[in-house]
Amino acid sequence: MVTLSVTRSRVARVLEAAADLLGREGWDPHLNPLMAAIDRAADFVPGKSSPDAEATSLAAWDALCQYLVDVSPREWETHEGLTQTEVVDALRAAAEEARTGA
């Protein structure tokens, strides 16, 4: 088994991949939420994936939490009026922040 480290660039790639997924498939906080997109982008399936995939998914979620600062991603994505564009843009901005360590 190959163990991969959870690097900033790896976390950024997962967030970008989640943004791409939601951009293609559409975002819905109940049917296609942020966490599911992040898990899929990290190739994480609970109970079936490697610890590395889980760690990467959690690190990407944490990076999104840090980007949003005052609100949890789950709470944020259920705000009335939030658009798919805003969600995708937030994932991309969180990816950039994760990559640069800003």
Side-chain angles (χ1 to χ4, degrees):
M1 178 170 94
V2 174
T3 300
L4 301 172
S5 62
V6 179
T7 63
R8 288 192 312 230
S9 63
R10 189 168 178 213
V11 169
R13 283 192 304 271
V14 165
L15 290 167
E16 289 168 348
D20 291 343
L21 280 169
L22 293 178
R24 277 192 314 272
E25 298 174 355
W27 160 80
D28 181 295
H30 307 290
L31 301 174
N32 200 13
L34 286 168
M35 192 72 229
I38 289 172
D39 282 349
R40 288 175 50 212
D43 291 325
F44 175 64
V45 178
K48 296 182 181 181
S49 297
S50 71
D52 288 331
E54 181 176 15
T56 302
S57 180
L58 291 172
W61 185 254
D62 287 344
L64 182 58
C65 288
Q66 289 176 7
Y67 172 75
L68 295 174
V69 183
D70 291 329
V71 63
S72 77
R74 184 65 189 146
E75 182 182 339
W76 176 76
E77 78 173 323
T78 58
H79 279 132
E80 184 76 28
L82 187 65
T83 67
Q84 178 174 317
T85 299
E86 290 170 316
V87 170
V88 169
D89 288 349
L91 284 166
R92 293 197 193 287
E96 182 61 25
E97 197 171 272
R99 180 179 294 104
T100 61

